[in-house]
């Protein structure tokens, strides 16, 4: 379990049922990795979005997450076994997700 995911779970547990009805755990997790900031502020930002915008944003993040998973898996497969353990972490995947979804260079 990554730091972003733990942060999302802790935040989700504190949300009201009305907030949970609008924001799924998956959306919150992806949004926390995308914005990389205070979870409460991120929840408020998401709650201010209308449903159409929120759905589109969630779908975009989910699609990006899927692409990053595929990239990460392909990269690990191409690496020599001796170097894989460092990069196999889901934390690395979260970092790649943040950089890709924000249009930043992957170093």
């Amino acid at each position: 379990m990554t730091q972003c995911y733990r942060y999302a779970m802790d935040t989700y547990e504190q949300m009201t049922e009305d907030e949970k009805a609008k924001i799924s755990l998956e959306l919150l997790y992806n949004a926390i990795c995308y914005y990389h900031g205070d979870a409460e502020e991120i929840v408020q930002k998401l709650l201010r979005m209308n449903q159409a915008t929120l759905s589109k944003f969630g779908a975009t993040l989910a699609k990006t997450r899927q692409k990053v998973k595929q990239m990460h898996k392909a990269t690990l497969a191409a690496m020599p076994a001796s170097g894989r353990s460092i990069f196999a972490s889901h934390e690395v995947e979260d970092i790649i997700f943040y950089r890709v979804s924000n249009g930043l260079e992957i170093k």
Side-chain angles (χ1 to χ4, degrees):
M1 184 181 312
T2 67
Q3 184 177 354
C4 277
Y5 194 75
R6 276 192 301 276
Y7 194 32
M9 282 184 36
D10 290 346
T11 302
Y12 195 76
E13 289 174 2
Q14 296 173 23
M15 290 168 52
T16 67
E17 291 305 314
D18 287 343
E19 291 170 334
K20 289 178 182 179
K22 188 172 182 181
I23 303 170
S24 69
L25 177 57
E26 178 186 9
L27 173 58
L28 182 60
Y29 166 53
N30 285 335
I32 285 173
C33 288
Y34 173 76
Y35 288 117
H36 213 75
D38 179 69
E40 277 301 311
E41 290 176 16
I42 293 168
V43 167
Q44 293 309 309
K45 189 178 291 196
L46 295 173
L47 290 172
R48 285 191 295 271
M49 292 181 186
N50 65 45
Q51 193 58 49
T53 302
L54 189 62
S55 293
K56 185 176 179 182
F57 181 63
T60 299
L61 291 180
K63 186 177 179 181
T64 302
R65 173 67 68 179
Q66 191 60 37
K67 285 181 184 177
V68 166
K69 282 181 185 279
Q70 291 170 347
M71 283 178 17
H72 189 224
K73 186 177 178 181
T75 301
L76 288 173
M79 293 178 88
S82 61
R84 280 189 206 146
S85 63
I86 296 169
F87 296 100
S89 159
H90 290 289
E91 296 283 351
V92 171
E93 189 175 292
D94 281 350
I95 293 166
I96 296 168
F97 175 80
Y98 169 75
R99 298 195 67 79
V100 167
S101 61
N102 284 284
L104 302 172
E105 182 181 348
I106 299 174
K107 298 177 184 180

